[in-house]
């Protein structure tokens, strides 16, 4: 089956007073129909820039998509005109942002904001849009939907505002839902509710999801496939079970060792990733993780490894096999 979305050699840069920031450096991945892709990495690794680029939401200037293709249903989204991409945003590819309070208009009711999207993209009457909005609010677990329809964003809790954002994103039955760290500002109980809600809706609607996070616990709960990003590069890619059971990149291994566990390894001391990510203004010649890596050899400082197949459907960008300590 062909993927619903295919990203090829995506490169994004930002022009600043200090120089050119290399934010995304030749990223490739696919999104399968009805599946969830998790994108993991620390702040500043290029996760959000990658998905904003897919929808051409990078501000130009200072940002610039230098190279790459995004193929969605046979069309390159970088080649179509502004009117066409506006028709795709929200209707075909929807996005839930990290902070719902900054995404929702504070002076408009939540009902108006959802129904407006329906009228614009679906071209339906106001009454039909209102009825659909009630159903959407009910689907995401908003109580007393007819009364809540007339409430303003500040009258909702953070978790309820995020549910409203999900309802808005789902309003036009998108093929892909992009969730950019949607649970970061929420407490763990509400995080779990949002994750379960998303999984339930996905099973009902059959949509694909791109879930961006730095929380490996959430990835284990929701993703089918995972890509790990570092300094604008994909350093490892595999299905979620392989990533957790058999990580082969030192960065992925270090991330997992820093995660509290409840199994037989729960008494092991949590690891620390020493040092800081490289400056994307001046990326090193070799592997971007070399200065923080406990497995590094001379070649790591001289040449940046390409993302290659390690096993079937398991890719990594590393010169060293962390399981044996030997050079590949």
């Amino acid at each position: 089956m062909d993927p619903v979305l295919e990203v090829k050699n995506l490169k994004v840069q930002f022009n600043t007073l200090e120089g050119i920031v290399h934010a995304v450096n030749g990223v490739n991945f696919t999104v399968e129909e009805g599946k969830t892709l998790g994108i993991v990495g620390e702040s500043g690794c290029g996760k959000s820039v990658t998905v904003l680029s897919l929808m051409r939401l990078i501000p130009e200037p200072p940002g610039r998509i230098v190279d790459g293709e995004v193929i969605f249903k046979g069309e390159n989204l970088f080649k179509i005109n502004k009117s066409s991409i506006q028709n795709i945003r929200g209707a075909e590819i929807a996005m839930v942002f990290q902070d719902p309070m900054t995404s929702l208009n504070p002076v408009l009711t939540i009902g108006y904001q959802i129904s407006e999207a329906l009228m614009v993209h679906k071209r339906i009457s106001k009454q039909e849009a209102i009825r659909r909005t009630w159903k959407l609010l009910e689907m995401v677990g908003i109580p007393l939907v007819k009364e809540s329809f007339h409430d303003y964003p500040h009258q909702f809790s953070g978790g309820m505002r995020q549910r409203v954002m999900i309802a808005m994103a789902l309003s036009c039955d998108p093929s892909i839902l992009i969730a950019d760290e949607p649970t970061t500002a929420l407490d763990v109980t509400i995080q779990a509710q949002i994750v379960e809600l998303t999984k339930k809706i996905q099973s009902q609607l059959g949509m694909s999801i791109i879930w961006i996070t730095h929380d490996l616990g959430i990835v284990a709960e929701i993703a089918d496939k995972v890509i790990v990003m570092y300094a604008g590069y994909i350093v490892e890619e595999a299905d979620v079970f392989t990533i957790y059971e058999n990580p082969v990149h030192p960065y992925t291994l270090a991330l997992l060792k820093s995660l509290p566990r409840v199994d037989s390894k729960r008494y092991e001391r949590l690891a620390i990733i020493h040092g800081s990510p490289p400056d994307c203004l001046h990326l090193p010649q070799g592997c971007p993780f070399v200065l923080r890596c406990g497995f590094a050899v001379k070649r790591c400082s001289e040449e940046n490894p390409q993302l290659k197949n390690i096993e079937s459907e398991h890719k990594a960008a590393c010169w060293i096999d962390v399981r044996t300590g030997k050079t590949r």
Side-chain angles (χ1 to χ4, degrees):
M1 183 182 293
D2 292 334
V4 66
L5 183 79
E6 188 173 6
V7 178
K8 300 178 181 179
N9 196 37
L10 177 63
K11 295 181 181 179
V12 184
Q13 298 176 355
F14 289 87
N15 293 313
T16 70
L17 295 175
E18 290 79 18
I20 296 175
V21 175
H22 302 270
V24 179
N25 304 300
V27 165
N28 296 273
F29 62 86
T30 59
V31 180
E32 306 297 329
E33 188 173 348
K35 301 292 185 179
T36 299
L37 171 69
I39 303 180
V40 184
E42 59 196 274
S43 297
C45 72
K47 307 184 301 294
S48 295
V49 171
T50 296
V51 294
L52 288 171
S53 300
L54 307 185
M55 301 177 72
R56 284 169 49 182
L57 289 174
I58 294 293
E60 298 183 20
R64 185 164 63 97
I65 297 170
V66 178
D67 196 7
E69 295 180 334
V70 176
I71 309 301
F72 175 67
K73 294 186 176 180
E75 271 192 310
N76 184 355
L77 299 187
F78 291 167
K79 298 294 185 182
I80 62 178
N81 59 39
K82 288 186 177 181
S83 176
S84 297
I85 194 67
Q86 285 172 355
N87 290 333
I88 289 173
R89 290 183 200 137
E92 296 278 0
I93 305 175
M95 192 162 181
V96 177
F97 294 94
Q98 181 172 336
D99 184 1
M101 200 60 193
T102 58
S103 303
L104 293 166
N105 191 321
V107 300
L108 298 175
T109 66
I110 60 106
Y112 176 83
Q113 293 183 63
I114 298 173
S115 59
E116 181 188 35
L118 282 163
M119 288 186 284
V120 168
H121 288 292
K122 292 293 188 180
R123 303 188 184 281
I124 58 177
S125 68
K126 183 178 180 179
Q127 289 305 313
E128 178 63 20
I130 290 172
R131 285 192 291 271
R132 288 202 191 185
T133 301
W134 290 343
K135 290 181 180 178
L136 286 163
L137 292 175
E138 188 174 12
M139 179 190 295
V140 298
I142 301 292
L144 304 172
V145 295
K146 292 185 179 180
E147 290 81 358
S148 298
F149 181 94
H150 300 288
D151 289 339
Y152 291 86
H154 72 271
Q155 295 175 271
F156 290 79
S157 67
M160 285 299 174
R161 282 197 292 268
Q162 200 58 283
R163 288 171 184 263
V164 169
M165 285 301 301
I166 292 171
M168 187 180 298
L170 298 175
S171 61
C172 297
D173 303 317
S175 300
I176 300 174
L177 174 67
I178 299 174
D180 187 1
E181 302 201 47
T183 61
T184 297
L186 308 176
D187 64 61
V188 290
T189 305
I190 305 302
Q191 282 183 15
Q193 291 176 5
I194 295 298
V195 170
E196 286 303 314
L197 171 65
T198 307
K199 289 166 64 179
K200 177 183 175 182
I201 292 172
Q202 183 183 33
S203 67
Q204 292 174 349
L205 304 181
M207 64 187 176
S208 303
I209 296 175
I210 302 175
W211 190 286
I212 300 168
T213 185
H214 58 265
D215 189 330
L216 287 162
I218 290 178
V219 169
E221 186 73 20
I222 198 168
D224 296 297
K225 186 170 75 171
V226 182
I227 61 175
V228 181
M229 290 190 68
Y230 187 80
Y233 295 93
I234 293 177
V235 295
E236 188 162 2
E237 177 182 341
D239 67 84
V240 66
F241 299 105
T242 301
I243 284 286
Y244 282 82
E245 290 296 324
N246 187 28
V248 295
H249 193 280
Y251 179 59
T252 310
L253 186 64
L255 286 177
L256 290 170
K257 285 188 174 181
S258 68
L259 185 69
R261 303 178 68 131
V262 295
D263 59 6
S264 60
K265 297 183 179 180
R266 64 184 179 275
Y267 299 113
E268 293 183 4
R269 188 177 182 86
L270 298 181
I272 298 171
I273 305 177
H274 295 282
S276 301
D279 184 355
C280 287
L281 280 165
H282 309 287
L283 287 171
Q285 178 180 342
C287 173
F289 190 60
V290 64
L291 295 178
R292 308 174 77 185
C293 181
F295 296 86
V297 296
K298 184 180 178 182
R299 188 180 185 184
C300 301
S301 300
E302 298 172 345
E303 189 179 354
N304 189 11
Q306 298 297 308
L307 190 70
K308 293 183 178 179
N309 277 320
I310 305 300
E311 296 165 356
S312 177
E313 302 299 317
H314 189 178
K315 300 177 182 178
C318 188
W319 297 122
I320 307 298
D321 187 336
V322 297
R323 296 164 293 187
T324 63
K326 297 179 179 180
T327 304
R328 285 199 176 92

